[in-house]
Amino acid sequence: MRIFNQKVRWLAGSFATLTLAGLLGCTTLNPAKSTAAASSAAPIGDSWALLNFTKVDSVNPIMGPSTAGKFTDPILKQEVLWEEKDVFNPAVVVKDGVVYMLYRAENKVGKFSKTSRIGLATSTDGLHFTRRKEPVLHPDNDVHKKYEWSGGTEDPRVVESEDGTYYMTYTAYDGDKARLHIASSRDLLKWTKYGNVFTRAAGGKYVDKWTKSGAIVSRYEADGRIVATKIKGKYWMYWGDAQVWLATSDDLIHWTPIEMAAGEKPPVPLRAQAITMPDLKIVLPTREGKFDSDLVESGPPAMITDQGIRLIYNSRNEPSFGDKNLPVGTYTAAQALFDINDPTRLLQRLDNYFMRPELPYETTGQINQVVFLEGLARFKNNWFIYYGTADSKIAVATRPVN
């Protein structure tokens, strides 16, 4: 049995107790209800957050490296074991009663001794997956090669449009810089690449900046579909992996980052990649003294709820100016709530993480101390949240929909 309790304070000044209980082979993440009222501008306590997830330790990790996946790489012109090194950071969609997982996989060949490609696996129970032998999105001899080779295609997030087209935001990595790209598909197998999401924005000034992690605002339907939804005539996307920024689009392909108004100042001193993009409006900043001190990064597609837009996000800790109780570089997960009428306006934010690395496959791997949440599915009256562990394997946690 693994149990610990930690007091946490909500942003609006209310208090709750976060309890992580390991019971009967499971780890339960169960923050207690708040005992004080939040501000009138935001929901009370934690009622807006999606909590009480249980890590399914009986099957976790549900996916790891494999030598079964083989394909002839079009650039190397040789057979590659494309997922033999690590698999992690999955996106998921539900289609016709089946969970489709698109996940990042790395091999052991190439300039960096690894190249990332995106694979596809399916499941009828959300726990046991069957993989396709070949990747569905990978670097190729196309116009995008200079951005995708030889680092690869990484970290997908997938939503559906009203007409049933799937759109995948993913990271194109050339070995020097990460860039946020997008592709579309009707069947989740064959994908059309469109390149950088910011190609047409601001005279192209963001094309050669470090950009990634696009979480498009969507409806999570009862049948499991994740449908991109316009607000005030625009699609919206939370993105970034230093601070969290925001962008809008008319067509889900071409996006415009939201910049600060004249005279507006960033809410925190700029660090890391944020220094290179000083005009962007930060909508979710890092916080000194906390678990999300060093980095915040969008998780699964943002969810429209009755109380606002819920964003599950990943974060990294630096003990020297963050949470001194977490090891250096620890990735944990938390949640934030934004105004449905103004997606730039932060209403609420958990004051502590709701998931952290605990088990050996989460604490030890390619990158130690990592849980990285990227896929969320409503399936069989449960929420399934899928996450990368130590940048090496994939795991799942669940909770009832109620």
Side-chain angles (χ1 to χ4, degrees), residues 74 84 108 114 130-132 150 161 167 174 178 198 200 258 280 288-289 300 321 342 344-345 373 388 392:
E84 68 173 329
K108 297 181 180 179
K114 60 180 181 180
T130 301
R131 314 186 210 197
R132 290 183 60 85
S150 63
S161 67
Y167 289 86
D174 60 6
F198 299 135
R200 297 182 182 178
I258 294 178
L280 292 176
E288 287 194 13
F321 54 85
D342 179 6
T344 70
R345 181 172 173 249
L373 284 55
S392 302

Side-chain angles (χ1 to χ4, degrees), residues 129-179:
F129 283 82
T130 301
R131 314 186 210 197
R132 290 183 60 85
K133 183 178 180 180
E134 299 188 352
V136 295
L137 189 80
H138 55 82
D140 205 338
N141 291 305
D142 54 27
V143 296
H144 309 289
K145 176 182 176 181
K146 66 178 181 178
Y147 300 114
E148 297 178 351
W149 188 258
S150 63
T153 53
E154 307 174 352
D155 299 353
R157 293 159 176 84
V158 181
V159 300
E160 185 177 344
S161 67
E162 296 286 359
D163 71 359
T165 301
Y166 294 96
Y167 289 86
M168 178 200 297
T169 58
Y170 68 97
T171 300
Y173 184 54
D174 60 6
D176 174 66
K177 193 174 273 83
R179 295 174 173 88

Side-chain angles (χ1 to χ4, degrees), residues 40-283:
S40 60
I44 295 174
D46 65 356
S47 61
W48 58 272
L50 190 64
L51 302 170
N52 304 318
F53 278 91
T54 299
K55 294 178 181 178
V56 189
D57 293 349
S58 60
V59 295
N60 280 336
I62 60 173
M63 193 178 296
S66 172
T67 57
K70 301 178 183 179
F71 91 122
T72 301
D73 183 87
I75 297 174
L76 296 174
K77 301 187 185 305
Q78 67 183 55
E79 188 175 80
V80 172
L81 302 177
W82 59 279
E83 53 182 343
E84 68 173 329
K85 181 179 177 292
D86 296 293
V87 298
F88 51 113
N89 295 4
V92 288
V93 298
V94 176
K95 177 184 178 184
D96 301 326
V98 175
V99 178
Y100 288 74
M101 176 188 290
L102 293 116
Y103 61 96
R104 175 181 174 181
E106 294 178 336
N107 67 358
K108 297 181 180 179
V109 179
K111 179 179 179 181
F112 307 104
S113 297
K114 60 180 181 180
T115 296
S116 294
R117 300 171 180 86
I118 294 174
L120 178 65
T122 57
S123 173
T124 57
D125 65 2
L127 302 175
H128 304 88
F129 283 82
T130 301
R131 314 186 210 197
R132 290 183 60 85
K133 183 178 180 180
E134 299 188 352
V136 295
L137 189 80
H138 55 82
D140 205 338
N141 291 305
D142 54 27
V143 296
H144 309 289
K145 176 182 176 181
K146 66 178 181 178
Y147 300 114
E148 297 178 351
W149 188 258
S150 63
T153 53
E154 307 174 352
D155 299 353
R157 293 159 176 84
V158 181
V159 300
E160 185 177 344
S161 67
E162 296 286 359
D163 71 359
T165 301
Y166 294 96
Y167 289 86
M168 178 200 297
T169 58
Y170 68 97
T171 300
Y173 184 54
D174 60 6
D176 174 66
K177 193 174 273 83
R179 295 174 173 88
L180 184 55
H181 280 214
I182 196 159
S184 72
S185 174
R186 295 292 297 186
D187 61 5
L188 299 171
L189 298 174
K190 297 178 181 179
W191 292 88
T192 300
K193 298 177 183 177
Y194 299 101
N196 196 296
V197 299
F198 299 135
T199 299
R200 297 182 182 178
K205 74 176 183 179
Y206 293 107
V207 169
D208 288 323
K209 302 298 184 181
W210 182 282
T211 58
K212 59 183 303 195
S213 304
I216 297 171
V217 176
S218 303
R219 306 188 314 270
Y220 282 68
E221 300 284 16
D223 62 2
R225 293 178 303 136
I226 305 172
V227 183
T229 303
K230 286 185 175 181
I231 299 172
K232 294 187 174 180
K234 297 280 187 181
Y235 295 108
W236 300 76
M237 175 178 68
Y238 295 94
W239 65 279
D241 75 332
Q243 308 292 334
V244 171
W245 299 288
L246 194 57
T248 62
S249 174
D250 295 320
D251 60 7
L252 291 172
I253 297 172
H254 305 99
W255 293 83
T256 300
I258 294 178
E259 297 184 338
M260 291 185 292
E264 187 177 357
K265 302 295 183 183
V268 292
L270 299 183
R271 301 175 48 255
Q273 301 300 332
I275 294 174
T276 71
M277 299 177 285
D279 297 330
L280 292 176
K281 182 179 182 66
I282 296 171
V283 296

Side-chain angles (χ1 to χ4, degrees), residues 276-305:
T276 71
M277 299 177 285
D279 297 330
L280 292 176
K281 182 179 182 66
I282 296 171
V283 296
L284 187 74
T286 52
R287 296 182 288 187
E288 287 194 13
K290 296 190 177 295
F291 63 97
D292 49 8
S293 58
D294 192 36
L295 170 155
V296 287
E297 183 170 356
S298 307
M303 180 189 296
I304 292 174
T305 75

